[in-house]
């Protein structure tokens, strides 16, 4: 019996190991690698090589060496925009592996266009793909496991991830292992932008189980598209951040379809603060899940 259980365990471990085995997409002929500079991009990885890419998968770039001012990013195969945001060599000990985690949208782009390492000051020796072992929501723009249960943590998301953001969309934060006090503080427009705090502005946040969401206004969507945002969080583990368009596949978010016509009307100024008697200015009008900008 014990031998059978041990054999089963080894079989399961073997299968899991196979699932996580990196697939080499490109390998340098030299251990020094090839130079990636502004005038000399890295090797082109074709769409055919990316045919099995899925959200949650990871692209690993093995770096043989880099200089102090180096920058590395992945551009789309047609050179029309970045596939993944840039990374910098801070705190890297050479040789190193730089990992790009793919959202479902980024994986789709790679399957259609392939990608090219680009930037300056790096020597790369190998490019690999690590298949995902977990399913990632199609609306996810970030996923991971950021443990904020005992201290504040920051998650920075760059502007390209919000290229399609618009008023009425929802930013959804998927949490787990929540403590007695959970604080979500998105900074819309990145550092120096509009700060929304779930303690100071509870009316802006909707909580359903492990999901915490806010509905974007025109101003917030504009700032996200321009500068991205930072999530500061405390009291929970953050597993995913999603950008969800109501009316799409939103079965994982409870209550989006609630009747807004009978909900009370609330007004907020452009800094997200509730206003009791708005007048002589531009305000955000919220009724249920409907949010509009109005001039009074």
């Amino acid at each position: 019996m014990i031998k059978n259980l041990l054999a089963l365990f080894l079989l399961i471990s073997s299968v899991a190991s196979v699932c996580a085995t990196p697939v080499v997409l490109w390998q340098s002929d030299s251990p020094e690698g090839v130079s990636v500079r502004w005038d000399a991009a890295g090797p082109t990885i074709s769409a055919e090589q990316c045919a099995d890419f899925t959200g949650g998968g990871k692209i690993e770039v093995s770096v043989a060496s880099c200089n102090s001012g180096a920058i590395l990013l992945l551009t789309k195969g047609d050179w029309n925009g970045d596939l993944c945001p840039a990374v910098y060599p801070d705190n890297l000990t050479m040789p190193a592996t730089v990992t790009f985690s793919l959202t479902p949208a980024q994986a789709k782009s790679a399957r259609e266009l392939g990608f090219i390492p680009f930037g300056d000051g790096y020597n790369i020796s190998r490019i690999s793909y690590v298949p995902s072992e977990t399913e990632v929501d199609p609306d996810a723009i970030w996923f991971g496991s950021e443990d904020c249960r005992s201290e504040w943590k920051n998650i920075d998301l760059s502007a390209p991830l919000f290229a399609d953001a618009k008023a009425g969309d929802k930013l959804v934060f998927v949490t787990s292992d929540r403590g007695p006090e959970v604080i979500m503080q998105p900074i819309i427009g990145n550092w120096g932008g509009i700060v929304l705090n779930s303690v100071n502005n509870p009316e802006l946040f909707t909580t359903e189980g492990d999901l915490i969401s806010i509905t974007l206004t025109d101003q917030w969507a504009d700032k996200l598209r321009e500068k991205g945002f930072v999530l500061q969080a405390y009291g929970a583990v953050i597993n995913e951040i999603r950008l969800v368009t109501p009316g799409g596949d939103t079965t994982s978010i409870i209550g989006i379809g609630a009747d807004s016509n009978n909900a009370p009307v609330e007004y907020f100024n452009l800094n997200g603060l509730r206003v009791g008697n708005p007048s002589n200015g531009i305000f955000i009008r919220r009724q249920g899940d409907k949010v509009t900008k109005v001039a009074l």
Side-chain angles (χ1 to χ4, degrees):
M1 180 67 175
I2 294 177
K3 289 183 178 179
N4 290 338
L5 290 175
L6 178 59
L8 179 60
F9 172 78
L10 292 175
L11 176 61
I12 293 173
S13 299
S14 175
V15 172
S17 176
V18 169
C19 292
T21 300
V23 178
V24 177
L25 304 174
W26 170 85
Q27 177 80 47
S28 171
D29 294 331
S30 167
E32 288 78 22
V34 301
S35 182
V36 176
R37 307 187 307 274
W38 294 128
D39 60 348
T44 297
I45 306 300
S46 68
E48 289 75 15
Q49 291 175 277
C50 305
D52 295 327
F53 282 21
T54 62
K58 296 177 174 61
I59 296 172
E60 294 184 341
V61 180
S62 298
V63 179
S65 61
C66 67
N67 62 41
S68 60
I71 177 174
L72 179 66
L73 56 88
L74 304 180
T75 190
K76 295 178 182 178
D78 62 355
W79 290 97
N80 187 22
D82 297 339
L83 178 69
C84 297
V87 295
Y88 301 88
D90 298 344
N91 302 319
L92 287 182
T93 300
M94 297 295 129
T97 299
V98 177
T99 300
F100 298 88
S101 298
L102 298 175
T103 67
Q106 290 168 332
K108 180 175 183 292
S109 176
R111 292 195 302 269
E112 294 174 348
L113 301 170
F115 67 91
I116 303 168
F118 191 50
D120 194 54
Y122 277 93
N123 283 344
I124 64 174
S125 58
R126 184 171 63 248
I127 302 173
S128 304
Y129 172 70
V130 181
S132 174
E133 296 183 37
T134 59
E135 184 177 353
V136 176
D137 189 277
D139 293 316
I141 56 175
W142 179 90
F143 57 91
S145 182
E146 191 66 69
D147 190 346
C148 313
R149 287 174 294 181
S150 60
E151 60 180 319
W152 283 90
K153 295 286 186 67
N154 302 326
I155 300 175
D156 294 72
L157 297 182
S158 61
L161 295 173
F162 300 96
D164 298 324
K166 60 186 180 302
D169 288 352
K170 290 180 179 290
L171 273 177
V172 180
F173 311 109
V174 183
T175 65
S176 63
D177 297 319
R178 295 172 58 172
E181 181 183 40
V182 178
I183 306 174
M184 308 295 286
Q185 183 168 277
I187 305 177
I188 307 293
N190 218 299
W191 298 105
I194 299 172
V195 179
L196 309 177
N197 186 289
S198 59
V199 173
N200 299 331
N201 317 111
E203 67 283 348
L204 301 180
F205 293 79
T206 301
T207 301
E208 297 288 350
D210 289 333
L211 306 177
I212 301 174
S213 65
I214 59 174
T215 301
L216 300 181
T217 65
D218 283 314
Q219 184 197 27
W220 298 348
D222 289 345
K223 284 188 172 293
L224 286 171
R225 291 194 303 270
E226 180 185 1
K227 294 185 177 180
F229 96 133
V230 179
L231 174 65
Q232 296 183 309
Y234 175 84
V237 175
I238 312 300
N239 299 306
E240 279 186 8
I241 300 176
R242 303 171 184 167
L243 181 63
V244 177
T245 298
D249 183 11
T250 56
T251 55
S252 62
I253 301 178
I254 302 171
I256 282 182
D259 183 6
S260 295
N261 294 328
N262 297 321
V265 176
E266 301 172 296
Y267 290 92
F268 305 88
N269 63 24
L270 296 182
N271 290 321
L273 301 177
R274 182 154 49 184
V275 179
N277 297 297
S279 62
N280 300 323
I282 298 176
F283 300 89
I284 305 302
R285 182 183 187 273
R286 172 179 169 180
Q287 185 176 25
D289 64 357
K290 295 181 180 178
V291 179
T292 56
K293 183 186 292 185
V294 296
L296 301 174

